[in-house]
Amino acid sequence: MDKNQDIPRIRKGDAFVQMDPHPLVFMEVNEVEGSTDSMDFCVVTWYTLTEKGLNVQRRFPMAARDGKFSKFEPISRSLLKEAKRLLRQYDADVKLLTVKAEAKSLYNNYTRKLIELLPDA
């Protein structure tokens, strides 16, 4: 029996979320650059919400041990697609605000919507 069959492998397009510590971080695998028996070496993008708007950290390396990224839980690709839609919508809405004091309320509202998307929310 091949022990590699027991380890879930990371693939391009896989999606993950980190809920703690706050704020939520959504992650998408852009590329899998290499693998060993227990590690996948990937290039990923992170999406986070801040009171100032959408923060995207693009294309940086991360490694997954035994098919898992530390502190990240797998989510469906369709859930990531919906989360990215909400994140872009929030980014547009926050840039339209004329009263900056409303940013905190808008941020809390969109954070709640994103949490409600998640299966264990």
Side-chain angles (χ1 to χ4, degrees), residues 3 7-8 12 31-32 37 39 48 59 61 87 89 94 99:
K3 70 178 184 176
I7 300 172
K12 178 180 179 174
E31 298 172 34
V32 178
D37 285 346
M39 297 287 283
T48 55
R59 303 191 59 79
L87 291 164
Q89 184 179 333
V94 80
V99 180

Side-chain angles (χ1 to χ4, degrees), residues 19-66:
M19 295 186 68
D20 290 317
H22 198 68
L24 292 173
V25 178
F26 291 91
M27 179 172 66
E28 179 175 27
V29 176
N30 302 117
E31 298 172 34
V32 178
E33 293 191 319
S35 296
T36 66
D37 285 346
S38 63
M39 297 287 283
D40 291 309
F41 301 96
C42 304
V43 174
V44 302
T45 298
W46 283 5
Y47 304 90
T48 55
L49 205 58
T50 70
E51 285 187 39
K52 295 180 181 179
L54 173 60
N55 181 22
V56 180
Q57 295 174 295
R58 294 186 192 280
R59 303 191 59 79
F60 63 93
M62 278 187 74
R65 178 176 294 283
D66 297 329

Side-chain angles (χ1 to χ4, degrees), residues 53-117:
L54 173 60
N55 181 22
V56 180
Q57 295 174 295
R58 294 186 192 280
R59 303 191 59 79
F60 63 93
M62 278 187 74
R65 178 176 294 283
D66 297 329
K68 298 177 183 167
F69 289 99
S70 179
K71 299 185 181 177
F72 280 86
E73 296 297 323
I75 58 173
S76 71
R77 293 173 187 212
S78 62
L79 197 147
L80 177 65
K81 183 178 179 180
E82 179 63 16
K84 285 169 46 176
R85 185 192 66 75
L86 277 172
L87 291 164
R88 285 190 299 271
Q89 184 179 333
Y90 169 78
D91 194 50
D93 288 351
V94 80
K95 288 177 179 170
L96 292 174
L97 287 180
T98 55
V99 180
K100 292 301 176 192
E102 295 173 357
K104 179 75 171 172
S105 174
L106 191 64
Y107 170 79
N108 289 337
N109 186 32
Y110 273 88
T111 297
R112 180 185 48 75
K113 287 179 183 181
L114 288 166
I115 290 170
E116 288 173 355
L117 278 179

Side-chain angles (χ1 to χ4, degrees), residues 4-18:
N4 285 339
Q5 296 299 323
D6 298 338
I7 300 172
R9 304 316 297 201
I10 303 293
R11 296 185 324 256
K12 178 180 179 174
D14 283 354
F16 299 85
V17 65
Q18 179 186 49

